Amino acid sequence: RKARPTVVMLKRKLEHGGGLFDSSPGGGLLDSSFGSAAGATWTLRVDFDGDDSREVHLHREACRSAFLTLLQDTDRFGGSRTVTLDPAWRSFFEPLMRILYIPEAVDFFVEQLLVSHARTIGQALAVSHCAIYLDLDAPFFAAFYAAVRSRRRRWSAFIDDDRFELPRAWHQLPLGHALRWLHALCPSAHAARSNLAAYLAAEPGLSESMMHDGARDEEVASGAAEPDDEEATRGWTLIVQAAAAQGAQPGSLRLGRKLRREGLEGRVSDDQVAAALAASEGNVDAAFERLSSGKGPPAGAAEGGS
């Protein structure tokens, strides 16, 4: 990944003793109006479950976030300009919002953000959850996932182990971001399949085909953005194959997952599941329909057939 011109300028300025944030004529290279009351368009109140609330002055640059823009006029309609954030986000929500003000330096800011606030995969996942909530734009996430990829072995000595498991916070990401995280970490094929299976089990509304379609969409988007990145292409091929493998799992496992999503787990026995699959000739959807509608398997099927 080539360094952007702004990043090169920042490096040269630092090497020659220049400041990033200073009071010299013209200010520092990264100076912006973020946090200043002067010229502020609106003020956002941020609470952390009632603890340590803060006020943040925002300007037109913050309109790069559609979410923050919606908050700008919400009090006209009886709403509130107050948001409640996860206390774990307290230390980095302001650095994330500052990135909206100087998009040309996004690579620099992401690097500094991860150095200061994300020394583990779990901490980096918290950063990505906050960034998604604040609705940061595509350039931020492109830089973020590139930085995640460069840190994969630094964050986990077991990243290439087939038993590598992502933290539970990964299961709570939207599908597209979960897939991009997995691609950036580039685990083994076996670990990719097992982590995607865990994600499916944790997401009630997601089907195997939806996961596969999502992986294909991300693969196409990545190819359009970086057509010459062979490593990224190989990585997405692995993720797409791992997603496709979810639909090839044993029918009993897939049916069990479907029953769990619909709150029916525990209401039918393993024998009933096996019998319903046999009666439906292995068709998971048809077997689920039998069990959920109360039809059940044909008489005697649970005991081995009549």
Side-chain angles (χ1 to χ4, degrees), residues 164 166 170-171 175 178-180 182-183 187 189-203 206-208 211-212 215 236 238-246 249 257 261:
F164 171 72
L166 277 157
W170 176 73
H171 302 159
L175 177 60
L179 292 169
R180 292 181 73 180
L182 200 60
H183 176 262
H190 179 86
R193 290 193 297 271
S194 62
N195 277 282
L196 287 178
Y199 185 93
L200 268 172
E203 179 52 62
L206 185 66
S207 68
E208 293 86 353
M211 173 173 278
H212 183 244
W236 278 116
L238 182 148
I239 300 301
V240 169
Q241 291 173 346
Q246 304 306 310
Q249 288 179 331
R257 194 157 57 216
R261 289 180 193 142

Side-chain angles (χ1 to χ4, degrees), residues 153-165:
R153 286 196 173 90
R154 192 183 317 172
W155 280 338
S156 175
F158 306 102
I159 196 76
D160 296 315
D161 194 298
D162 282 350
R163 294 167 295 177
F164 171 72
E165 292 183 10

Side-chain angles (χ1 to χ4, degrees), residues 251-261 265 273 284:
S252 57
L253 183 62
R254 293 162 57 206
L255 179 55
R257 194 157 57 216
K258 199 174 180 72
L259 290 168
R260 184 161 54 252
R261 289 180 193 142
E265 187 181 35
V273 167
V284 171

Side-chain angles (χ1 to χ4, degrees), residues 74-97:
T74 188
D75 55 349
R76 293 187 188 180
F77 307 99
S80 171
R81 292 182 182 175
T82 299
V83 293
T84 301
L85 303 183
D86 188 321
W89 301 353
R90 183 185 288 107
S91 65
F92 51 75
F93 87 95
E94 286 184 283
L96 279 171
M97 286 198 283

Side-chain angles (χ1 to χ4, degrees), residues 3 17 30 41 63 74 83 90 96 103 106 110 113 138 144 166 174-175 178 192 197 229 263 301:
L30 296 184
T41 305
C63 290
T74 188
V83 293
R90 183 185 288 107
L96 279 171
V106 64
V110 166
L113 188 68
F144 177 80
L166 277 157
L175 177 60
D229 191 334

Side-chain angles (χ1 to χ4, degrees), residues 86-92 96 113-114 116-132 144-145 148 151-152 154-157 159 164-173 181 185:
D86 188 321
W89 301 353
R90 183 185 288 107
S91 65
F92 51 75
L96 279 171
L113 188 68
L114 294 185
S116 302
H117 303 286
R119 295 175 183 170
T120 67
I121 289 177
Q123 291 171 343
L125 280 165
V127 171
S128 61
H129 274 287
C130 186
I132 292 167
F144 177 80
Y145 288 117
V148 168
R151 285 168 165 74
R152 56 186 295 274
R154 192 183 317 172
W155 280 338
S156 175
I159 196 76
F164 171 72
E165 292 183 10
L166 277 157
R168 184 168 299 183
W170 176 73
H171 302 159
Q172 298 164 350
L173 288 169
W181 254 100
L185 292 175

